[in-house]
Amino acid sequence: MKITPIKPKSTLDCAVDAIQAYILNNRLKPGDVLPTETELAQKLGISRNILREAMRHYRTLGIIDSKPKLGATIARLLPDNPYAGYLPFFAAGENSLRELFEIRSSLEVGAAPFLVRAVTKEGLALLEDIHRRMEGEKSEEAFTALDRQFHMELLRMMRNRILDGLLPFLIDFFNELRRQRKLRPWGMTPYSKTIAEHRAILDALERQDAEQLAEAVGKHNEIYFKLLELNK
């Protein structure tokens, strides 16, 4: 019988685990203030130096922040943009664009059943407003910004915290490549086609028709793969 040996933990690793347990056991939430450095070190039974190192771990993750006159506070419990530090390395990958296109398309199409259940009058009105602004927009930069906003607000309607953390990667990074003209030709799709495809998405949402929505989003995303073929 194969047995995996237990690796001893360092004091720092134990301190990191202890801080996590403290946050979870006390059900801390964003905005809550942590005890002072001295008090927390005493509670955890560790030195202040070890505590600072362990706290740095959570600061790097964006979970803990410092505020004037308050000290250490809980900033968030889920990352806003977990891929932020990896984007330059991802962009340098050989198949990064294909992988990005595939995951974005799969996610948007697959979200259709959840979106039709989550859609609200307020959410639909916001998308309609963005759509109307796109119809009258002549500037490529402004049109692209509105297109980004449309897709961000569409997926935010699911009110899924994990998905919200992925949106900067799936949409903002995608549009950054577009802004830098990493792919050509981005202008192959007339504004009128994009607007018509957004209209189809909105109509499906209004009808709460998941099948029609998945079809409309899938058709809208076909441009990504055409671009990929053109830029081989």
Side-chain angles (χ1 to χ4, degrees):
M1 182 174 63
K2 186 176 180 180
I3 299 177
T4 302
I6 297 174
K7 295 181 180 180
K9 284 191 173 183
S10 67
T11 305
L12 176 58
D13 289 336
C14 291
V16 168
D17 290 345
I19 292 172
Q20 174 182 285
Y22 182 87
I23 293 171
L24 297 177
N25 292 340
N26 289 280
R27 299 182 178 180
L28 299 185
K29 57 186 183 298
D32 286 346
V33 181
L34 291 165
T36 65
E37 192 175 274
T38 300
E39 185 182 354
L40 191 55
Q42 289 175 346
K43 284 179 181 290
L44 300 179
I46 57 177
S47 71
R48 291 176 64 180
N49 287 337
I50 292 294
L51 176 68
R52 290 189 189 111
E53 288 296 318
M55 292 284 278
R56 187 175 294 118
H57 170 80
Y58 289 102
R59 292 182 198 281
T60 301
L61 291 176
I63 293 172
I64 291 177
D65 196 6
S66 294
K67 291 188 176 180
K69 299 181 180 180
L70 288 178
T73 62
I74 301 298
R76 64 182 66 89
L77 297 178
L78 283 175
D80 286 340
N81 186 1
Y83 285 96
Y86 299 94
L87 293 184
F89 300 100
F90 175 80
E94 184 178 350
N95 297 312
S96 58
L97 288 170
R98 176 185 58 78
E99 293 166 347
L100 179 60
F101 293 164
E102 287 175 351
I103 193 65
R104 175 170 173 174
S105 182
S106 298
L107 193 151
E108 289 188 331
V109 172
F114 306 103
L115 286 170
V116 297
R117 290 201 294 266
V119 65
T120 63
K121 290 182 179 179
E122 295 77 14
L124 194 57
L126 176 57
L127 291 177
E128 288 281 5
D129 179 65
I130 296 169
H131 182 71
R132 281 193 296 271
R133 289 157 62 194
M134 291 183 75
E135 287 180 312
E137 187 55 63
K138 303 299 182 184
S139 162
E140 180 182 357
E141 184 176 353
F143 187 90
T144 299
L146 287 168
D147 182 58
R148 166 200 173 276
Q149 187 182 359
F150 183 93
H151 287 273
M152 290 282 274
E153 296 300 339
L154 175 68
L155 292 174
R156 278 178 179 153
M157 283 198 301
M158 287 175 59
R159 295 184 289 278
N160 184 305
R161 295 178 302 158
I162 298 173
L163 175 59
D164 287 349
L166 295 176
L167 291 181
F169 172 62
L170 293 171
I171 294 179
D172 283 348
F173 179 62
F174 180 86
N175 279 282
E176 176 61 18
L177 293 177
R178 181 175 186 170
R179 187 186 69 79
Q180 295 178 14
R181 301 298 194 274
K182 295 282 185 175
L183 285 175
R184 297 179 184 278
W186 279 105
M188 67 183 291
T189 304
Y191 289 0
S192 58
K193 185 174 186 296
T194 297
I195 289 170
E197 290 170 352
H198 280 191
R199 181 74 264 162
I201 291 170
L202 287 168
D203 289 345
L205 269 177
E206 190 171 7
R207 294 191 184 99
Q208 293 185 288
D209 187 327
E211 186 175 345
Q212 182 185 350
L213 178 59
E215 182 180 347
V217 172
K219 184 176 181 181
H220 185 52
N221 288 343
E222 286 176 0
I223 183 61
Y224 305 153
F225 299 98
K226 290 178 181 178
L227 284 167
L228 195 60
E229 289 298 317
L230 286 172
N231 287 269
K232 280 185 176 180

